Structures are given as C-alpha cells and as structure tokens.
Amino acid sequence: STQSTWGLLACSFRMNAQLRDVKNYVHVCKDSVQHASALDSCDALAAMGLDDHQFSLEAFEENLNVNILSANDDEMTFDLSGVDAPIANALRRILIAEVPTMAIESVHILNNTSIIYDEVLSHRLGLLPIKVDPRQFEFRQADQTEGTDRDTIVFKLDVTCTAVPGAPATAPPEEKYLHSSVYSRDLVWVPQGNQASEFGSISIVSPDILVAKLRPGQSIQLEAHAIKGTGREHAKWSPVCTASYRLLPVIDIPKPVCGADATRLMQLCPLNVFDIEDGHLVAARPRDCSMCRECIREEPQLVRLLRKRDHFIFSIETTGALPPAILFLEALRVLVDKCSALQRRLADATHCQKVAGDDS
C-alpha cells in the first residue's frame, strides 16, 4: 500500500542518516567512545546505497584542504581536512623520524676534568639543536671515515673555570667564578672549506642551554662534529619537539536547551565552550572542547559530543632548525617520494609477473 511504501522510505531515510552519521563522526559517549574505526572497505555501506566511500583521486583533490590557523618560527597549528587518519598519522611519523637535520654525532674530548663523564657530556652535546638548513648538506656515506665541508659541521669548546679575585665567599657561583656554567653559546663554530662564505654563521638554536657546571681548576676542551641524519636513527636528529593531531570536536545540541538546563551545562564546562544566546544554549567555542564529558555525565540526551572523522587539527613545534611550515612541506615531499617508490616497485613486480606468464 501507499502508506507502507512511505513508511519504508522514511525508515530507509532515517537509517541512511544514521549510517552517514556513523561514517562521518566518532561518537564520544558518557563512558565509552563509539564508531572509532574507519570504514576502510569501499563497499562497507554499499548495501544501504552509501557507496561514496570508494576512493577517487579527483574527489580526494577536491576535498583535501589545509588551513593555517596560527604560525610563527617555532609553532604552527593548521586544519587538515579531507583525509583519513592513516594519511595524517603518516605525516606525523615522517615529521618525527624521517625529515633530516644536523646533530653532533662524534665528540673528540681532549680534556674533561668536570664531574660529568665523557659519555654523558657527549650525549648532552648531541641533543643540542643546530640552527642550519640541513637541505644544504649531504648525508655522510657509511664507509666514509673523514668528513668534508659538504657533510660535516665542526664546533670547538674550550672553557676553564677560574675564581674571581676578591669575590665574597657568600656570593653566588656566578659572581665568585668565571665560566662556572658552560652554555651552548660557548660552542664555537669552526668553518670548513667554503662554509664561512656559504652559510655566514652557524650556531646552536638557543644560546642559553646549560651543558655543564664547573668549579675553579676544572676545564672542558673538545671538538664536536655534526652530521646529517634522521630521527629514525636517533632522536637527536628529530626536527620537532612535538608533532600531533586531534580530530575536530563537533558539539551537537539535538533539541533546544534553555532555562536552568542551559545555565547548568554552561557552568559545568571547565573550558567555557558554551554560551547562552537568546535564552538557548549554543556551542560558541567547540574547538576548545577537550571531550571531558562533564556536559553529558548526568543528562547525555541534551548534548552529543562528536569528532569529525576526516578533519584533523594538526600541531607542529619545531626544535628551531627549520620553521614548522618548511618541515611540513618536507614531510609532504618525503611522503610523495615513498609513494613514487612504491609505485615503481609495483610496476616492476607487475612487469616481472607478466614476463613470467609469457615465458610459461
């Protein structure tokens, strides 16, 4: 009958809306997180007529969007939308482990009478971030024992602590002694080859990083060699302090909330996400939501907490060697190179199988 047909259509419409909701959002509930897994199969929802999950390069290019929210020399926050979690996570991992920088790898200690062991001192020096563009250097080959001006940066450190004549005994060490603290600024760059004319100046990112403490009569004399590497080999080559992302928070208020309920929910939120406009509760600052769930603990039917599945708020904090925007572009370049290498290997494997089939 006509009535039953319309009923089936309405039921199908509601079901499709619910499935699209599951497909597009992660649901943060009172005591659990639901629908967190992505629908990787292109035919997962085909039975219900939702077959738009099939990958299309044209659709990917159309939906991909990068919107920079804030950026400076040290940090950058941007929206990355239109991609699945594997792409976002690949960029995060590449930023941490596969974008190269320069770091101190070998330390030749001539004299160390401080209380810090040679190995610990060398480790501390290796973790000092160097402000130089690593793209202008080459990787040192595994069988190469001597460095060149194209793959090595040389620093020297020669510091001796002495007492200040006539200083009061009760004065702090900084006033009683000269060079009582060894800082990163005490490392002196020694240009090799044409480095002086090509780079102008190379130094540690921050001049005030404490390396060691000395007392009268103690000294440190050494030469440190920095080479190019990646964080996959050692964390000292990682160009970022942090590289992280989170899914975009979406706060849905299914029905109007007003009066005492609106006031109570607004006051419950510790991050001041909600406002009251025209007597109704509104999510004025949804990006600030940390999903603490305070607003849904007692009456979860008033507010729905969601996260957009393909919209990531990405944050990059650099160590200072390169600006975060450059690091992101370098991570994209590495990802493109990986995809190109995989494409070539697949083409070679397909060619080999075809040749083997022809021979048989």
Side-chain angles (χ1 to χ4, degrees):
S1 65
T2 304
Q3 185 176 1
S4 62
T5 300
W6 281 108
L8 288 173
L9 288 174
C11 180
S12 176
F13 178 79
R14 287 194 299 269
M15 186 171 295
N16 282 352
Q18 292 173 356
L19 289 173
R20 288 188 185 278
D21 191 59
V22 170
K23 175 178 178 291
N24 294 326
Y25 296 99
V26 176
H27 293 230
V28 180
C29 303
K30 178 181 177 180
D31 51 8
S32 65
V33 177
Q34 298 179 358
H35 315 304
S37 299
L39 299 174
D40 296 322
S41 175
C42 62
D43 59 351
L45 300 177
M48 298 303 301
L50 300 177
D51 56 350
D52 57 345
H53 194 75
Q54 186 172 4
F55 179 79
S56 165
L57 183 59
E58 293 77 13
F60 177 79
E61 292 177 348
E62 181 179 352
N63 296 328
L64 176 64
N65 184 47
V66 177
N67 179 36
I68 298 177
L69 303 176
S70 63
N72 54 39
D73 291 340
D74 299 321
E75 299 179 54
M76 181 173 73
T77 302
F78 59 93
D79 283 345
L80 177 65
S81 58
V83 299
D84 290 331
I87 300 296
N89 195 46
L91 290 172
R92 182 190 66 84
R93 291 171 64 93
I94 290 172
L95 280 166
I96 293 173
E98 298 189 55
V99 175
T101 62
M102 303 294 290
I104 292 175
E105 170 67 3
S106 59
V107 180
H108 307 274
I109 298 178
L110 305 178
N111 185 27
N112 176 25
T113 55
S114 71
I115 63 172
I116 300 181
Y117 293 116
D118 292 352
E119 296 85 350
V120 178
L121 178 60
S122 300
H123 185 263
R124 291 180 67 84
L125 292 172
L127 295 176
L128 296 176
I130 302 173
K131 192 170 185 61
V132 67
D133 190 343
R135 296 172 294 181
Q136 301 185 40
F137 287 86
E138 301 171 356
F139 284 98
R140 182 182 291 186
Q141 301 302 315
D143 58 348
Q144 184 179 346
T145 57
E146 295 294 329
T148 68
D149 60 338
R150 303 308 309 163
D151 59 32
T152 304
I153 301 174
V154 177
F155 293 96
K156 284 191 175 181
L157 178 64
D158 190 355
V159 179
T160 300
C161 180
T162 58
V164 175
T170 57
E174 292 78 10
E175 298 179 7
K176 287 195 299 183
Y177 314 125
L178 290 175
H179 302 299
S180 62
S181 297
V182 181
Y183 292 98
S184 53
R185 59 174 171 265
D186 295 319
L187 281 167
V188 179
W189 172 49
V190 181
Q192 306 295 305
N194 298 324
Q195 289 181 351
S197 58
E198 185 172 353
F199 299 103
S201 176
I202 296 177
S203 63
I204 305 301
V205 168
S206 174
D208 300 322
I209 302 175
L210 182 64
V211 177
K213 284 183 176 289
L214 303 178
R215 288 299 178 262
Q218 296 180 344
S219 63
I220 298 176
Q221 186 180 5
L222 56 83
E223 182 174 291
H225 293 185
I227 64 173
K228 189 174 182 177
T230 60
R232 180 165 53 181
E233 183 178 353
H234 194 285
K236 66 185 178 182
W237 279 297
S238 180
V240 295
C241 300
T242 58
S244 62
Y245 61 81
R246 61 188 180 100
L247 292 174
L248 177 72
V250 176
I251 302 177
D252 179 35
I253 303 176
K255 298 179 180 180
V257 178
C258 53
D261 288 338
T263 303
R264 179 173 54 81
L265 287 176
M266 185 181 70
Q267 294 174 347
L268 277 176
C269 181
L271 296 178
N272 195 29
V273 169
F274 297 103
D275 277 346
I276 296 179
E277 297 179 2
D278 298 328
H280 294 81
L281 184 74
V282 295
R285 291 162 291 276
R287 285 177 176 268
D288 295 342
C289 180
S290 64
M291 298 291 162
C292 67
R293 302 184 174 107
E294 286 296 328
C295 58
I296 62 173
R297 291 193 191 280
E298 297 182 7
E299 298 181 81
Q301 72 279 5
L302 297 181
V303 176
R304 289 202 315 157
L305 298 181
L306 310 169
R307 285 190 181 274
K308 191 75 168 69
R309 195 183 297 277
D310 66 344
H311 192 135
F312 302 88
I313 303 175
F314 218 108
S315 298
I316 301 174
E317 182 181 353
T318 175
T319 59
L322 288 173
I326 299 299
L327 290 180
F328 181 63
L329 293 176
E330 287 297 299
L332 289 174
R333 184 188 60 77
V334 173
L335 182 59
V336 169
D337 290 345
K338 284 176 173 288
C339 294
S340 299
L342 177 60
Q343 191 175 28
R344 288 193 299 269
R345 291 187 180 184
L346 289 175
D348 293 342
T350 303
H351 177 72
C352 292
Q353 287 182 348
K354 184 178 179 180
V355 171
D358 294 342
D359 293 341
S360 61

